[in-house]
Amino acid sequence: MTQHVTVRLSSGAVRGRRLDGHLSFQGIPYAAAPIGDRRWRPPAPVEPWTGIRDAIVPGNPAPQLAQSFADVTSVDEDCLTLDITVPEAAQGTGHPVLVWLHGGGGTNGSAAAYDAQRLAVAGDVVVVAPNFRLGVFGCFGHPGLADGGTFGLRDQQAVLRWVRREIARFGGDPANVTLAGESYGALMIAAHLVSPASAGLFHRAILQSAFSVLGTTPTHTFIPGVPELPPRWAPVAELEQFGAAVAAERGWVTPGVDPESALAQLRRVPATDLLQASDSFIRPAFGGITLPESPSTAIPAGRFHRIPLMLGAMRDEARFFVGLFADLVGNPVTAESYPRLVAEAFGDSADQVAARYPLDGFPTPSLAWAQIATDRAWARPAWELGRAFAAHTATWFYEFADRAAPSLVPLPGFPTGAQHSSALAYQFDFPGGGTSLSAAQREFADRMNQYWTTFARHGDPARADLPDWPDVSTGYVQFLAPERIGGTDYVAEHSLDFWGRMP
């Protein structure tokens, strides 16, 4: 028989479930539904309710279309809810809080995909996982739209303010909040580190596989066939022009109308129509109130919130993108296409890159390209970001390196290794299974999660019962794999001295 537990919030009471060693609350609203006239506006306060509201089923994911890497479709804009996982012993005891921002490329993902009970119970922390606006609903800009391109970011700030007000009711300590996220979630943390409105809302941060925070990504090195990518931040004026052009091209607004009328028309466009352009609006905008400066310039200059930071990357990040978007669609990198990819990506430096990564040094051309892409598009930017942080605040850097990790997205026949997102199965359980760990991997996961939750508790991952964590200034980082935990020469492993000499 399911046991229920009730918690009284400032907006009303919620009823969650008592499960094996933890309490689970799902679908708790932290802001009013951003529907109708609230579309593309800052999150508004929740309307209080009477009685007891059930919090036993997930809230709606943010509007999104299914992708090859995420089989979820949703068109309901009423999505501003969060899930909470509480160690059963935590009630009333002021436990560390970890707020988890999911990844998904900026267009996809949901809180409900991450079952945080292992992380919460083993680490004795309260885990909060929110849904927030994505894609065209989170990063749209248009003339007359106040502070456009920051709606997802402001949703997350509303979550953090909710945590400050309410989390003590769940046994959490509002004065000890760690903001953690992976991929797009980690990118958003970089924005929070720069946003004035996020100051004081969290006290430490963990960035897992943050992509392109500081610089550009050469042609083909994100996905073969994709041109050079700019930094993941859009100037607000540029975003407004682009949003207006897309709206006109798709017939969402009447030609020649004034901005106020255009926005009124845009707020009536069906969500299903807007979603067709969602992947064009994933870059948070800077130059407004919420994000005055691009993190790509603010962070290297030391203009960010000085809190303890952990960050890291996967050993084989790019295998995910090469496997999923090249090999699995029947367009693998070949011995014939490899020189062209190198030439188009690196121009005058192509011969040096080809000599550094010769085809005969890899089992397949796709794996050769994946190594180039991992080193240039992931390892180099991650290292530069880590060094920029470390120049101003306490910073710990890791590399997840279990090449036998289960793949969250099946890539049949492709050697996935420690690819993008592969660490998540060690931190969370996922509905539907398919990510089971061996006994050795489960033991390793427990040790890895002790680092994460110790950092959340103290702002330092060091534990007497775990291997020492090397200082990032040495060029060594913490190598995390079942077979070994300890320092590794990240600079040498990913040829970062070589890439540091490249344009």
Side-chain angles (χ1 to χ4, degrees):
M1 180 177 177
T2 301
Q3 290 185 301
H4 292 101
V5 59
T6 299
V7 173
R8 298 195 177 278
L9 309 176
S10 58
S11 54
V14 294
R15 179 191 291 118
R17 294 175 295 163
R18 188 183 306 276
L19 301 172
D20 184 17
H22 68 285
L23 311 178
S24 172
F25 299 83
Q26 294 182 293
I28 299 175
Y30 63 85
I35 58 177
D37 190 56
R38 288 196 179 119
R39 178 188 282 175
W40 298 316
R41 294 192 192 278
V46 173
E47 291 287 336
W49 60 86
T50 58
I52 300 176
R53 181 187 184 110
D54 275 336
I56 58 176
V57 296
N60 297 318
Q64 56 193 274
L65 299 177
Q67 307 279 355
S68 57
F69 58 87
D71 188 21
V72 173
T73 296
S74 177
V75 296
D76 194 333
E77 293 176 67
D78 183 2
C79 64
L80 301 187
T81 63
L82 52 80
D83 299 347
I84 305 177
T85 307
V86 184
E88 191 162 12
Q91 284 195 300
T93 56
H95 280 52
V97 180
L98 190 149
V99 177
W100 175 256
L101 303 183
H102 67 74
T107 57
N108 292 78
S110 70
Y114 300 83
D115 180 347
Q117 59 92 12
R118 275 194 291 134
L119 194 61
V121 174
D124 214 20
V125 298
V126 175
V127 180
V128 178
N131 293 311
F132 44 88
R133 282 175 283 184
L134 299 168
V136 70
F137 297 95
C139 288
F140 185 70
H142 192 277
L145 185 58
D147 208 18
T150 64
F151 304 106
L153 182 64
R154 284 191 277 183
D155 290 345
Q156 294 158 17
Q157 290 170 339
V159 170
L160 293 168
R161 291 192 295 270
W162 186 96
V163 166
R164 186 168 59 185
R165 292 193 310 271
E166 309 286 358
I167 205 63
R169 304 170 193 263
F170 297 88
D173 182 357
N176 187 2
V177 176
T178 295
L179 187 59
E182 185 263 350
S183 194
Y184 192 79
L187 180 83
M188 297 302 283
I189 293 174
H192 285 291
L193 288 169
V194 173
S195 173
S198 296
L201 294 179
F202 60 106
H203 311 96
R204 352 194 179 282
I206 304 173
L207 296 85
Q208 302 180 199
S209 297
F211 178 68
S212 193
V213 171
L214 298 185
T216 60
T217 304
T219 300
H220 303 307
T221 59
F222 177 45
I223 295 172
V226 171
E228 179 180 88
L229 298 178
R232 297 290 80 200
W233 319 102
V236 66
E238 176 187 306
L239 180 64
E240 289 178 353
Q241 291 180 345
F242 180 68
V246 170
E249 178 186 343
R250 293 181 178 264
W252 294 338
V253 298
T254 303
V257 298
D258 61 90
E260 184 176 350
S261 299
L263 288 173
Q265 292 179 6
L266 284 164
R267 289 190 171 102
R268 294 193 295 269
V269 175
T272 50
D273 293 350
L274 294 174
L275 284 171
Q276 305 306 314
S278 204
D279 59 1
S280 296
F281 296 95
I282 58 175
R283 298 167 65 203
F286 67 91
I289 295 172
T290 302
L291 193 61
E293 185 177 6
S294 169
S296 65
T297 56
I299 290 173
R303 293 188 292 273
F304 62 90
H305 308 313
R306 307 291 178 82
I307 59 174
L309 298 169
M310 263 180 63
L311 77 157
M314 308 295 101
R315 187 178 186 181
D316 307 301
E317 290 273 10
R319 290 193 189 186
F320 177 90
F321 303 94
V322 175
L324 185 61
F325 298 107
D327 282 49
L328 259 67
V329 297
N331 189 29
V333 180
T334 65
E336 291 72 32
S337 64
Y338 185 75
R340 174 182 59 80
L341 294 176
V342 174
E344 291 176 358
F346 302 110
D348 293 342
S349 302
D351 288 346
Q352 296 177 65
V353 175
R356 187 79 177 197
Y357 298 84
L359 274 179
D360 59 11
F362 299 89
T364 68
S366 282
L367 288 176
W369 186 255
Q371 190 64 56
I372 288 177
T374 291
D375 293 353
R376 174 56 185 87
W378 292 93
R380 173 179 160 177
W383 185 244
E384 291 173 347
L385 181 63
R387 294 301 296 270
F389 285 146
H392 301 282
T393 195
T395 303
W396 288 265
F397 197 113
Y398 69 89
E399 178 178 54
F400 179 87
D402 185 5
R403 284 184 157 161
S407 178
L408 297 182
V409 179
L411 300 178
F414 192 84
T416 53
Q419 66 171 359
H420 188 68
S421 79
S422 57
L424 295 176
Y426 296 72
Q427 301 171 279
F428 302 94
D429 294 314
F430 291 86
T435 56
S436 59
L437 302 177
S438 69
Q441 288 173 324
R442 179 73 63 154
E443 180 181 352
F444 161 67
D446 290 343
R447 303 180 83 194
M448 174 180 149
N449 289 336
Q450 288 297 334
Y451 279 127
W452 262 241
T453 54
T454 300
F455 176 80
R457 178 168 280 101
H458 302 298
D460 183 334
R463 287 175 60 100
D465 58 346
L466 290 175
D468 289 342
W469 193 298
D471 189 310
V472 69
S473 67
T474 65
Y476 279 71
V477 308
Q478 190 74 319
F479 183 92
L480 298 172
E483 64 271 17
R484 185 174 72 86
I485 296 176
T488 189
D489 189 343
Y490 193 75
V491 171
E493 182 183 329
H494 293 285
S495 301
L496 298 186
D497 284 341
F498 169 79
W499 288 111
R501 299 192 296 271
M502 296 293 105

